[in-house]
Amino acid sequence: MKELSKKTKIVSVLIAIIILVGMIILFTKGLNFDLKYQEAQKVQLYLQKEFEIEDIKQITNEVLPNQNVMIQKVEVFEDTISIIAKEITNEQKTSMVNKVNEKYGLDLSADETVITNVPHTRGRDIIKPYILPFIIATVIILAYMAIRYYKLGLVKTLFKTIAILIVAQATLLSVMAIVRIPIGRLTIPLVIAVYLLSLIGMTSYLEKELIEKKKEEE
């Protein structure tokens, strides 16, 4: 038990350090957002014909070297290409248009092609659709915990469950801030995975405590 307690203390201290460092980085540097959510610039080209993403990617690699670029087909007939990068200069735009014209035998005008500013998406706007489902799910789970483990003490059980959920998410957020993991399409699945794992771990811990409690009563 002493060895287990020592390990628990070490893990608790490590988690506390990770959260502290993560929070400092979060408030100084902020989170690292995927290009999709960053403030960026966009160029849209109406090709009027089918095209391959790989061909456009080759062009952007030449014109926008060392830049993360997002390429998407848009419009109903997917005959328009959207190119998003952190920064696109007029010279780069002109070069892209010329290379696309050469590749597909088009006559697109660089002067008529506009560079559009794409605003930054706030973190709260990304998670907003998931807040209510998370709250409802958590309330249901806490109600179950209260009924299932009432012998362990209602307040104690609820406090421990809420605490482990908060600490788990705070640790995840801190690790993402420290390691600079981009906030993107995998973020919400990662949050859900950590949420479920922390619940499984807490349930396992409470089950053991409940078994011990029943043995004492017998």
Side-chain angles (χ1 to χ4, degrees):
M1 285 296 289
K2 285 184 179 179
E3 187 181 345
L4 184 62
S5 179
K6 188 178 179 181
K7 286 181 180 178
T8 303
K9 285 179 182 178
I10 292 171
V11 171
S12 299
V13 170
L14 285 174
I15 289 173
I17 292 170
I18 290 170
I19 292 174
L20 179 61
V21 174
M23 291 303 110
I24 292 170
I25 293 174
L26 184 63
F27 287 109
T28 53
K29 292 180 68 176
L31 291 167
N32 179 29
F33 284 82
D34 195 56
L35 180 61
K36 183 179 179 180
Y37 303 109
Q38 288 181 31
E39 184 178 353
Q41 291 185 311
K42 177 174 73 173
V43 168
Q44 243 178 230
L45 303 175
Y46 179 38
L47 274 60
Q48 306 178 43
K49 60 169 65 178
E50 290 185 4
F51 59 90
E52 295 296 327
I53 292 287
E54 281 303 314
D55 293 337
I56 305 299
K57 194 172 182 180
Q58 258 186 341
I59 292 171
T60 57
N61 285 342
E62 293 173 18
V63 180
L64 303 167
N66 306 318
Q67 274 210 66
N68 186 16
V69 180
M70 186 167 67
I71 303 169
Q72 292 177 314
K73 290 184 177 182
V74 294
E75 304 299 340
V76 178
F77 299 105
E78 296 188 341
D79 54 2
T80 301
I81 190 75
S82 170
I83 301 167
I84 299 175
K86 187 68 179 172
E87 185 181 2
I88 303 172
T89 64
N90 283 317
E91 291 77 11
Q92 288 169 332
K93 176 196 71 174
T94 301
S95 180
M96 269 193 289
V97 171
N98 291 339
K99 286 179 181 295
V100 168
N101 283 340
E102 185 181 341
K103 178 71 181 176
Y104 293 101
L106 302 172
D107 190 25
L108 300 175
S109 169
D111 292 333
E112 292 178 4
T113 303
V114 180
I115 299 173
T116 309
N117 291 320
V118 181
H120 166 65
T121 304
R122 297 176 301 177
R124 71 188 72 146
D125 293 328
I126 297 172
I127 65 170
K128 193 175 180 180
Y130 305 95
I131 292 174
L132 186 58
F134 258 93
I135 291 173
I136 294 171
T138 304
V139 169
I140 293 170
I141 289 164
L142 290 176
Y144 167 80
M145 293 287 198
I147 296 168
R148 171 71 179 166
Y149 306 108
Y150 73 94
K151 285 187 177 182
L152 300 175
L154 179 61
V155 175
K156 183 182 174 183
T157 299
L158 292 179
F159 175 79
K160 283 184 176 181
T161 304
I162 293 170
I164 197 68
L165 290 174
I166 293 172
V167 169
Q169 294 301 323
T171 304
L172 173 62
L173 185 64
S174 299
V175 169
M176 293 184 77
I178 295 167
V179 185
R180 310 308 293 163
I181 298 172
I183 303 296
R185 60 181 182 178
L186 296 178
T187 302
I188 296 300
L190 190 58
V191 168
I192 294 171
V194 170
Y195 180 86
L196 293 174
L197 285 172
S198 57
L199 278 175
I200 291 169
M202 191 60 197
T203 304
S204 178
Y205 167 77
L206 291 173
E207 282 293 336
K208 288 177 183 177
E209 279 208 337
L210 187 61
I211 291 169
E212 289 295 323
K213 183 75 173 177
K214 288 179 178 178
K215 282 181 181 178
E216 288 176 8
E217 288 177 352
E218 290 172 358

